[in-house]
Amino acid sequence: MRRISFATVGDNCIDRYLPLGQAAVGGNAVNVAVQLVLEGESCAYFGAVGRDEAGAWTREALGGQGVGLAHLREIAAPTAYTEIDIDAEGERFIAFEEFGATALYRPSADDISAMAALDHIHIGWLQEAGKLRAALAGSQVSLSQDIAVNPDAMGVDVAFDSVGASDSAARAALGRLQASGCRVAVVTCGAMGSLAWDGGEIVTTGIRALAQVVDTTGAGDTFIAGFLVAWRQGRVLADCLAAGRDAAARTCAHVGGFPQTLRALK
């Protein structure tokens, strides 16, 4: 089977795990890119980092995983970072975000031309994502977007959202995605599993049971990667959900959105 040519566009950050005193490279577009490569596909990353130690670390981590970096830009701004803490119930939450270089990134004409020649583009957090979708309209490339990090998903082929373990919230989120005009709508629902629609009946699946959950950071991004590979392979919707579910379970077994060596916070 021919390898699918993917790219992800948008956010990268350093995830700073405050209770652990450690940090990892992350961000929706970055995590999805690495997981697509781990699924055996080719993936390029389009985004920006700062000319700082964190930016060099991000480049090193992505390159070490085999992600294409020809379109990774370095600009005069700090590399983005996210501070992750734990609440009284033991749940992780985002305590602070500095968007830095990520907020300043805009794809160039050359970037857009390169994207248009690929099979599929996944858009993470990106300022002016609508302009990118418009620029790619009419090309061969299919598009997906995670509205949990970038709410406007009009005109994409596959739209993802994430809610808590609530059937009513999941169905409402699915309805909003359907109304956006996407071809495929997918909602992940935490411990309840996930559901999807592609014009026919709504399909659901549960979660993959694990003996121990180390960290759920990036599990949703990994779900996206697993789902997209199966979808681009032409598999039925139930198989796409199962592929996303199984991929996400693997990510819950380690800290961060993909396997990497953590660094101490400075």
Side-chain angles (χ1 to χ4, degrees), residues 15 28 76 95 122 131 175 259:
D15 287 327
N28 175 265
H122 175 73
K131 288 186 177 181

Side-chain angles (χ1 to χ4, degrees), residues 51-215:
R51 300 186 184 109
D52 50 21
E53 183 180 351
W57 179 22
T58 301
R59 179 180 290 278
E60 176 186 338
L62 294 179
Q65 293 287 348
V67 175
L69 300 179
H71 297 273
L72 173 57
R73 197 177 305 160
E74 295 179 359
I75 62 178
T79 298
Y81 68 90
T82 299
E83 293 186 341
I84 300 172
D85 211 339
I86 298 179
D87 63 21
E89 286 72 43
E91 295 294 325
R92 286 196 168 138
F93 69 96
I94 295 175
F96 179 78
E97 291 183 280
E98 167 57 62
F99 293 98
T102 281
L104 301 177
Y105 171 73
R106 303 291 187 278
S108 68
D110 287 344
D111 291 336
I112 293 169
S113 178
M115 290 182 211
L118 300 175
D119 293 321
H120 186 89
I121 305 294
H122 175 73
I123 304 170
W125 189 87
L126 176 69
Q127 295 275 32
E128 301 180 3
K131 288 186 177 181
L132 175 60
R133 296 194 304 269
L136 292 170
S139 68
Q140 66 173 9
V141 68
S142 55
L143 300 175
S144 60
Q145 191 166 313
D146 184 355
I147 75 160
V149 299
N150 204 342
D152 172 21
M154 296 296 291
V156 301
D157 295 282
V158 187
F160 295 91
D161 197 3
S162 178
V163 298
S166 164
D167 184 69
S168 60
R171 300 279 170 166
L174 195 70
R176 290 191 293 271
L177 294 183
Q178 291 169 319
S180 74
C182 63
R183 292 169 53 195
V184 182
V186 187
V187 179
T188 57
C189 325
M192 199 180 78
S194 57
L195 63 161
W197 168 91
D198 63 359
E201 295 295 321
I202 295 173
V203 178
T204 65
T205 190
I207 63 171
R208 175 70 65 189
L210 293 172
Q212 180 183 19
V213 175
V214 175
D215 180 30

